[in-house]
Amino acid sequence: KLTNPIAQVTGGSQAAIYFLQGHGERPIEQSQEAISQAAKALQDKTYAVKPLNLAEATSFPQDASVVVLAGPQKQLLKGEVDALKNYQKQGGNLMLMVDPNANPGLDSLLADWGVTLDNRVVIDNSRRVVGLGPADVTVTQYNDHPITKDFGNNLSFYTAARAVDA
């Protein structure tokens, strides 16, 4: 389900999807990590999946349709955050996934959106699925949004989801 919304954003044409690297993010190369499986699914749909290290880049890639920041464990440099802000202000698409108890240094970027990360983990005791604990939040109803329009009543779950104030 992760690859379909990215495909919708990119318009279904050959597009470059960059996964930020250099801060302990989830690997995009073949591994047991879920993000590498999503990257492979994107490649199978003919999307170009590329790593991006903004600390080494002299300029932002012009072919970037989406930039994904998947679970950074270390803070981004100020210049990297500024590059992401400029990319987004110029119409670029960002997908940010930040783990609880991680501080990637994105406060200035998120403040522009009116978003604050909360260090608490979301707990849902109202709906339990066999084999999952209270930190595995399950969702079966989705708002009317282009990203979730094809989700229907399917189950999705989010392990150790971080609270966000908007």
Side-chain angles (χ1 to χ4, degrees):
K1 289 292 182 182
L2 172 67
T3 60
N4 288 338
I6 293 174
Q8 290 171 358
V9 168
T10 60
S13 62
Q14 174 67 29
I17 301 169
Y18 284 87
F19 284 77
L20 208 61
Q21 302 291 290
H23 314 92
E25 293 87 353
R26 302 293 187 273
I28 60 173
E29 63 275 352
Q30 195 64 16
S31 71
Q32 293 299 316
E33 295 284 334
I35 203 68
S36 69
Q37 294 171 12
K40 169 111 175 58
L42 287 165
Q43 289 171 327
D44 290 347
K45 292 184 178 192
T46 70
Y47 292 97
V49 173
K50 302 178 181 183
L52 173 62
N53 186 329
L54 289 176
E56 295 175 351
T58 56
S59 62
F60 211 87
Q62 295 297 314
D63 65 339
S65 296
V66 178
V67 173
V68 179
L69 182 56
Q73 299 303 304
K74 299 176 187 167
Q75 284 196 356
L76 278 71
L77 301 171
K78 181 184 180 314
E80 294 172 308
V81 175
D82 290 343
L84 290 173
K85 286 170 82 170
N86 290 334
Y87 170 71
Q88 188 269 324
K89 286 179 182 176
Q90 294 172 3
N93 299 293
L94 294 176
M95 180 176 186
L96 306 178
M97 296 178 276
V98 182
D99 293 334
N101 298 320
N103 180 7
L106 298 173
D107 293 343
S108 65
L109 173 68
L110 296 172
D112 290 347
W113 301 345
V115 173
T116 304
L117 296 178
D118 187 320
N119 280 328
R120 294 175 292 169
V121 174
V122 177
I123 303 293
D124 184 6
N125 280 322
S126 67
R127 182 180 15 230
R128 297 294 293 266
V129 175
V130 175
L132 299 179
D136 298 306
V137 178
T138 58
V139 178
T140 57
Q141 295 178 340
Y142 306 90
N143 289 333
D144 183 27
H145 190 279
I147 290 177
T148 57
K149 70 180 173 99
D150 294 330
F151 283 21
N153 290 328
N154 291 317
L155 175 70
S156 57
F157 65 95
Y158 305 90
T159 301
R162 184 176 193 162
V164 176
D165 292 321

